Amino acid sequence: MITKQNTKIFIDTNIFLGLYNSNDSGNVKAFMRTLFKNKQILITTEQSVNEYLRNRTRIISDFKNTFFDPTATTHTSSFVSSFSEYKDYLRCVKELKSCRKKVIGKIDTVLSDTKQDYIYESFVKLWKSSNTIPTADEYIDLATKRKTLGNPPGGDKYSSGDEVIWETLINTLKCNLIIVSKDRTYTQNKEFLQYDYRTKTGSELVICDTVYLAFSMIDIEMDQRAMEAEDNIRWVDIIIQALEQLGGRATLAEIYEECKDLIALFHPDKFSNATIDSTIRRTIYQHSSDVTAYLGKDDVFHRVSSGVWELRINS
């Protein structure tokens, strides 16, 4: 039986990276406070920490790139430029450019000064203690063998990061384990991994996709704001559902509209996001090996041509 006394919880890197998509910093702080309050039951690996550090820069840089989208043209005919309203328009465009420059400057500052990134600072403090398992050469060798044999987990065709994390966990822990991850390499191979973990450790493995569910299994309460911070990281599932309903292939404009229809029906809270289109586009890029913004896991979307995307076969 899984209890607070005999169980550790491993939170995958994608959960923390997903917090950057949250629309409410208060929710993120509530989420991190809950983790700190219960850090004695949390466990991670050196490989997981390194994955976060690598991908943080890429994600924040991607936010920066969304601000380079061109504004509407300021060039027009003398007929339109004679309007007093057009002069107001030019003033707004100038102000927008100034604000955009300030936002980009702030993003650059956060990239270079991690003390201004609350998520980073909290993440590093959370795993400073003895609950981070170092990577041993033995685990790397076992991970290489696992990848060669084709045994899960293994979400990245270019590296063995997931395999290293798994070998680190099963060769260190002897207690029950709950893995919290959005990564399909865990959810789609649940039965294999449960058998593998039980054989190696003699204990039970549970896989779920939210910290809220993991905590509830061992009778730990999570307040509403902390739960809402997690809810903001499910954009990829909405996009997958939208593409499925569009026949598997669609233009970005069609994906935007279909996602908004799904949000209106099932996720109305997401309308608080003032940049839905850019969030959808960024999420697609982060889950496609066809672009440089790809995070290295869950290669779900394939770019057919400029502005046209489809679900990747066997994603």
Side-chain angles (χ1 to χ4, degrees), residues 131-200:
N131 54 358
T132 300
I133 309 171
T135 301
D137 290 342
E138 173 193 358
Y139 305 152
I140 297 174
D141 293 340
L142 290 169
T144 301
K145 180 179 179 181
R146 179 176 292 270
K147 193 173 191 71
T148 301
L149 294 174
N151 290 334
D156 188 347
K157 54 190 173 186
Y158 302 111
S159 71
S160 302
D162 286 325
E163 291 88 344
V164 171
I165 291 171
W166 180 249
E167 291 294 347
T168 302
L169 292 172
I170 66 172
N171 284 284
T172 305
L173 301 179
K174 298 300 179 184
C175 59
N176 296 325
L177 175 66
I178 301 176
I179 290 180
V180 182
S181 179
K182 299 288 184 183
D183 197 330
R184 291 184 171 193
T185 192
Y186 291 109
T187 57
Q188 291 183 344
N189 298 289
K190 182 171 64 175
E191 290 77 13
F192 179 94
L193 295 174
Q194 287 174 330
Y195 174 80
D196 198 15
Y197 190 80
R198 189 182 305 114
T199 301
K200 184 71 177 180

Side-chain angles (χ1 to χ4, degrees), residues 10-20 31 43-56 59 119 123 127 161-162 165 179-183 186 211 233 295 297:
F10 169 79
I11 305 174
D12 201 8
T13 309
N14 52 48
I15 301 296
F16 292 101
L17 293 173
L19 294 174
Y20 286 99
F31 178 82
I43 197 78
T44 194
T45 68
E46 180 184 355
Q47 175 68 22
S48 303
V49 172
N50 289 339
E51 284 187 5
Y52 166 82
L53 296 176
R54 286 198 304 269
N55 287 301
R56 167 192 174 268
I59 284 180
I119 297 173
F123 180 89
W127 302 122
D162 286 325
I165 291 171
I179 290 180
V180 182
S181 179
K182 299 288 184 183
D183 197 330
Y186 291 109
V211 175
I233 61 178
L295 294 180
K297 290 186 177 181

